[in-house]
Amino acid sequence: MRNARSASRGTGSHTAVGLLRALWKRYEHHCTQTDSCPCKLLKEDIFLQIEKQQTLKKITLSFPDYTPSDSVLPSLQPLLMALRDERYTHVEELNIRKLSLEQKDIVELCLLLERGGRTVYPIRLLELVDCKHSDWYLERLGKAVKSSFITTLCLDYTHMSEGLKGLLRGGLGASQIRSLSLCYCGLGSWSGTVLASLFTKSSVRELFINGNELQCVGATELLRPLALNSQKRAETLNMTISNTGKKTRKRRAKTESRPEVKGRPWLKKLHMFDNSIDDQVPSQLKLFMELICILVKFSSDLTELDLGENHIGEAGGKELLEALKERKAAKLSAIKIQVSTRMSTETFSAVLKNSKKLKSGKRKQQKTVQYLKSSNVFYCAFQVISIQLQLGCID
């Protein structure tokens, strides 16, 4: 019996190695045919898995060393052709970064994602980060995602105007997506209403929109249906169960999990880091904070809330603190929270004390000293000032 098992493992390993060698050979062939440069990172990943004698489940296509002056350009086409030719169906995660996507690329990618083809590719995570495209591409992608296995979609650094509406028209709301990331996509206050409509139709439970410009108006429109639904659900539960006793809390959890009680929309994670939410118009910030506090007080599903680099101020910090205390009194689970430090130290510390620490998520890459070196003048000035500070020549 033991020999049979080891023989079975050996056969599986041999199959994995053969599949990966064939995939790389086919990919190189298509790169030559299409005059595209092969991806060094993909080669490293494939040969690492060959050493391990395991299939490659996560494919990353990225060209960090590429410059626009290169004679041979990177392309998505060779990879898609190789996957289809070899019927390589082991990919679960597809990560594509900084590529200019042509119409043919989009069509081929969508055909690969959709379940309707002869061969099914069970890709569950798709990342298209900082890829140039047209608005048409997002609508077509929405249609493909609707009939795919994808549950996590990341479109960070993808500039969107009509593109967000195109995703919805394509059918994003009817997809299986649970986690949606649209960080640094140029989303303005107009997008709040569009995103709110998405929640009322879709199964999205995690939203990452860091580095956009929703401002108070857009963020308020986004939060309104979420806050009102969480309050309605809490009121429904309070009418059906009492608030005392251990057995009652168990009944509450069971009741809360029923489909008729747990209706849409609701979220587990909401990351709105750096969205220009501030007190320039106090009445707008007040309305935004009212909805945030309703969500914090009543949503038992919410586990993460990132409001970092949004300046809710001292008054907003105190409102949030009171909401956190009420949540604690209602015996709901603690939320991981991040807020701006632009409030008193006492209030900021109290907010953190009544919540869990949220680790830094997606942040825009910061300029480094290396950037300064690109300009000798600025770099020299930087060095001179640094030396003077060390010597105490300037305060």
Side-chain angles (χ1 to χ4, degrees), residues 41-254:
L41 182 60
L42 177 58
K43 183 178 182 180
E44 291 173 3
D45 290 342
I46 286 178
F47 281 88
L48 178 61
Q49 293 307 107
I50 287 175
E51 286 182 17
K52 294 180 178 180
Q53 297 188 345
Q54 297 174 356
T55 55
L56 179 65
K57 295 184 178 180
K58 179 179 179 180
I59 286 183
T60 300
L61 199 69
S62 178
F63 299 85
D65 300 328
Y66 159 75
T67 60
S69 60
D70 291 345
S71 56
V72 183
L73 303 178
S75 173
L76 175 60
Q77 198 64 212
L79 173 62
L80 299 179
M81 294 166 74
L83 290 173
R84 293 179 73 88
D85 288 351
E86 297 301 323
R87 288 181 170 80
Y88 190 82
T89 59
H90 299 278
V91 183
E92 295 178 3
E93 300 182 18
L94 185 57
N95 186 328
I96 301 165
R97 294 179 174 269
K98 293 188 177 182
L99 279 183
S100 294
L101 301 177
E102 299 178 0
Q103 184 169 333
K104 189 176 181 181
D105 295 329
I106 301 305
V107 172
E108 291 294 329
L109 174 61
C110 290
L111 290 173
L112 193 79
L113 297 175
E114 292 167 338
R115 301 188 209 181
R118 294 181 190 176
T119 307
V120 176
Y121 298 87
I123 299 171
R124 301 190 180 278
L125 181 149
L126 176 64
E127 292 189 352
L128 297 171
V129 178
D130 199 10
C131 292
K132 295 179 182 178
H133 63 88
S134 63
D135 287 337
W136 169 88
Y137 136 68
L138 288 173
E139 185 167 351
R140 179 65 183 92
L141 182 63
K143 291 179 181 178
V145 167
K146 179 182 176 181
S147 59
S148 72
F149 291 93
I150 294 175
T151 56
T152 301
L153 178 62
C154 174
L155 298 173
D156 293 350
Y157 295 93
T158 301
H159 182 73
M160 293 188 181
S161 51
E162 290 297 312
L164 180 58
K165 296 176 183 177
L167 276 172
L168 294 182
R169 284 196 303 270
L172 184 67
S175 68
Q176 301 183 65
I177 289 180
R178 299 288 187 272
S179 179
L180 178 63
S181 184
L182 302 172
C183 296
Y184 304 96
C185 289
L187 299 176
S189 57
W190 56 269
S191 64
T193 305
V194 181
L195 289 170
S197 67
L198 170 64
F199 294 134
T200 58
K201 302 172 185 175
S202 74
S203 54
V204 173
R205 299 294 172 252
E206 300 176 2
L207 179 65
F208 302 85
I209 50 172
N210 298 343
N212 287 294
E213 293 285 332
L214 264 71
Q215 303 176 25
C216 287
V217 174
T220 296
E221 291 303 314
L222 166 63
L223 289 171
R224 196 186 305 278
L226 293 165
L228 295 179
N229 183 55
S230 65
Q231 188 172 22
K232 181 180 178 181
R233 281 170 52 196
E235 290 172 352
T236 303
L237 286 169
N238 288 334
M239 288 174 63
T240 56
I241 55 178
S242 65
N243 294 321
T244 57
K246 187 175 180 181
K247 290 183 179 179
T248 303
R249 287 198 296 274
K250 288 183 178 179
R251 285 200 302 271
R252 173 176 180 165
K254 188 179 289 186

Side-chain angles (χ1 to χ4, degrees), residues 272-322:
M272 305 174 69
F273 178 93
D274 189 16
N275 263 272
S276 298
I277 297 169
D278 53 40
D279 59 355
Q280 286 193 1
V281 182
S283 59
Q284 292 178 357
L285 179 60
K286 181 175 175 58
L287 182 54
F288 167 78
M289 287 307 305
E290 285 177 3
L291 294 175
I292 278 288
C293 290
I294 290 173
L295 203 60
V296 169
K297 286 189 289 187
F298 298 115
S299 178
S300 58
D301 305 297
L302 191 65
T303 60
E304 293 183 11
L305 178 63
D306 190 349
L307 297 175
E309 291 301 310
N310 293 299
H311 309 312
I312 62 175
E314 176 68 10
K318 286 183 176 179
E319 288 181 56
L320 181 59
L321 175 59
E322 290 304 312

